[in-house]
Amino acid sequence: MTVVSPVVRTVRPGDPGWDEARAAFNAGVDQRPHHVAEPADAAGVAEVVRAAAAAGLRVVAQRTGHGAAALGDLRDTVLVRNSALRDVRIDVAARRARIGAGARWGDVVAPAASAGLLAPHGSSAGIGVAGYALHGGVGWYVRAHGLAAHAIVAAELVTGDGTRVRVDAGREPELLWALRGGGGPGIVTELELELRPAGPLYGGVAFFPIERAAEVLHAWRDWAALAPEHITSIGRLLRLPDRPHVPAHLRGRAFALVEAVALAPPDAAEWALAPLRALKPEIDTFGPLAPTDVPALHMDPAHPVPFRRGDALLARLPAAALDALLAVAGPDRAPPLPSIELRHVAGAATRSPDAPAALAALAGPFAMTATGMLGGPVGPDEVAAALDELTGALAPFTAPARVPTFAEARPGAAGLFDAATLARLAAVRRRVDPDGVIAASHEVPLP
Ligand SMILES: Cc1cc2nc3c(=O)[nH]c(=O)nc-3n(C[C@H](O)[C@H](O)[C@H](O)COP(=O)(O)OP(=O)(O)OC[C@H]3O[C@@H](n4cnc5c(N)ncnc54)[C@H](O)[C@@H]3O)c2cc1C
């Protein structure tokens, strides 16, 4: 480790701690950047960008490395770890949070809840706020409150020449538009997000043996079509490993799940969820929740794992789409995909947001994501083939767009946005980073 200035530490190949410094949450990605820079503050980020540009290097921001699979060769790129920038300041009256770009959702949910507010977090407290919000962000309140990207009201960022810029609707409307789902044309050092008032919450998970997958997922689909927008739910196939970290009663078993969170008091939520619970799940964890309970509900891994994700945004989910999914991933098949999820997103996220956003309304009511684990007995080619088979089976129902946060295995921005949006994002990038110093997981090509 070297301290190159009062506001930046660097770790280079061969330095003690090099492997820890370059490691990504996606442990299947062996990223080897030119070096790792750990700025202490926003001025440090600007310093890193200027030094990299002067040395002919590129720069990429990374908090967790959830999205590491979409980055290419990093040999000539400085990996900026902004973990030190994790201040969270909440303005209760304005219902806004100023969040350092190194914060993860676990840093935000509790202080927001103490202020009586809900943050637009996703399915794990470990996700970085910046990478998630800049690329969409489908969370537990997505049907009622929309995408996390649409909660971005202002930001501080560093441009490709190391200039620090304040972005808001008055000063930099086009840049704000780009940040709302289009990724980072610069390196963001702080985001300002709109929070929502926290009322009563109710939710949980219903576990059914996977042999009931067809009955349960079809019943969930029928129920979801009429479910009020204050309920966000997920239909899921979950195959758990026979490992000590899995609770004994779940170890080595496969389930069809329905997970749901309702922004409602217990009586209203129980009434709305009754048709699902009438299916008599083997395990039913539904009950009142505190906002701080919600990030753990989906049971995502808290520690780095080697994985590959597949994704699709579904333009519709007819019964035939579920049948197609079950034909390749149901109880009669055992694909090497521990988790296959259908997230119900219809509602605020599928309508145009109040303020303009690069990622506007999602083009479909359900988002599918599937995860395969690498490094185990099943080889990466077999995992990739299973993901391809699944997305292929759903292809007739797939929208010509994706949710960028779920497109973790896809480098670049092609396929995430339509041609007009890509051209507009490219024009923003040309202004902010004409020399292409800033790299990104879903990089927009310079025009
Ligand atoms: C266990 C798990 C659960 C998940 N659950 C959800 C979910 O519920 N909903 C959902 O929508 N997505 C979910 N995701 C996907 C996740 O939102 C994306 O991988 C997201 O990109 C992660 O952001 P990060 O900052 O943690 O990742 P990182 O890999 O650190 O960052 C991803 C990319 O974001 C950009 N970036 C990061 N920080 C900055 C910055 N400061 N300035 C500019 N650009 C920046 C960079 O291009 C970087 O390559 C999940 C992923 C995992 C692994």
Side-chain angles (χ1 to χ4, degrees):
M1 188 266 284
T2 319
V3 177
V4 291
S5 92
V7 285
V8 184
R9 293 180 344 144
T10 60
V11 189
R12 295 174 186 274
D15 283 350
W18 169 241
D19 285 338
E20 292 76 21
R22 69 185 182 88
F25 178 89
N26 187 345
V29 182
D30 180 25
Q31 46 185 15
R32 293 179 178 274
H34 186 274
H35 65 269
V36 175
E38 298 174 355
D41 56 19
V45 175
E47 191 175 304
V48 170
V49 174
R50 282 195 297 271
L57 298 171
R58 304 190 73 208
V59 177
V60 68
Q62 183 177 87
R63 173 58 178 97
T64 65
H66 281 174
L71 295 173
D73 186 342
L74 297 180
R75 226 173 317 177
D76 295 324
T77 303
V78 180
L79 189 74
V80 180
R81 288 273 193 222
N82 45 29
S83 325
L85 284 70
R86 51 199 291 182
D87 269 8
V88 177
R89 283 165 291 151
I90 295 180
D91 179 337
V92 182
R95 295 209 306 255
R96 289 189 173 185
R98 294 181 74 140
I99 303 170
R104 298 187 293 172
W105 282 111
D107 300 317
V108 180
V109 172
S114 304
L117 297 167
L118 281 183
H121 63 84
S123 63
S124 159
I127 302 171
V129 173
Y132 172 89
L134 293 170
H135 294 105
V138 172
W140 271 118
Y141 316 118
V142 69
R143 295 192 64 222
H145 297 163
L147 298 170
H150 297 165
I152 299 176
V153 289
E156 308 268 344
L157 67 74
V158 174
T159 62
D161 66 357
T163 305
R164 291 172 62 189
V165 178
R166 165 86 184 162
V167 178
D168 59 34
R171 265 174 276 212
E172 281 285 356
E174 192 64 3
L175 206 35
L176 181 61
W177 167 85
L179 292 177
R180 286 164 52 93
I187 297 210
V188 171
T189 55
E190 182 180 275
L191 285 174
E192 190 169 333
L193 301 186
E194 184 186 3
L195 304 178
R196 303 291 185 131
L201 292 171
Y202 189 95
V205 184
F207 290 75
F208 302 86
I210 199 161
E211 291 70 28
R212 294 184 63 192
E215 172 204 357
V216 168
L217 290 186
H218 279 287
W220 166 71
R221 185 192 75 99
D222 294 344
W223 168 86
L226 301 173
E229 283 186 11
H230 68 73
I231 303 185
T232 294
S233 67
I234 301 176
R236 184 176 189 191
L237 299 178
L238 184 66
R239 295 173 161 93
L240 293 159
D242 187 1
R243 294 269 186 80
H245 70 270
V246 179
H249 64 293
L250 304 176
R251 206 171 287 163
R253 294 196 57 198
F255 295 94
L257 307 185
V258 178
E259 305 173 358
V261 173
L263 293 149
D267 50 351
E270 280 168 7
W271 181 82
L273 291 161
L276 293 175
R277 299 172 85 190
L279 297 170
K280 300 206 180 312
E282 181 182 323
I283 304 166
D284 178 339
T285 71
F286 279 93
L289 297 172
T292 46
D293 296 330
V294 180
L297 192 118
H298 193 60
M299 303 167 284
D300 274 336
H303 301 293
V305 282
F307 69 94
R308 187 180 170 91
R309 196 192 286 276
D311 70 296
L313 182 60
L314 302 182
R316 57 203 175 88
L317 185 68
L322 277 184
D323 291 339
L325 183 150
L326 289 163
V328 297
D332 302 335
R333 298 281 301 270
L337 305 175
S339 175
I340 300 172
E341 308 171 23
L342 291 165
R343 296 195 182 201
H344 191 201
V345 297
T350 51
R351 293 190 287 270
S352 290
D354 293 342
L359 183 65
L362 293 183
F366 290 88
M368 188 285 291
T369 87
T371 310
M373 289 300 162
L374 306 174
V378 178
D381 293 345
E382 213 179 314
V383 170
L387 289 169
D388 286 349
E389 189 180 26
L390 178 61
T391 48
L394 292 172
F397 315 101
T398 297
R402 328 183 81 91
V403 180
T405 33
F406 291 140
E408 285 164 316
R410 293 170 188 276
L416 302 181
F417 305 99
D418 60 30
T421 305
L422 272 179
R424 195 170 158 188
L425 283 168
V428 172
R429 183 164 181 222
R430 186 172 48 191
R431 185 161 68 82
V432 172
D433 181 26
D435 299 325
V437 172
I438 313 285
S441 50
H442 300 302
E443 197 165 318
V444 176
L446 278 166

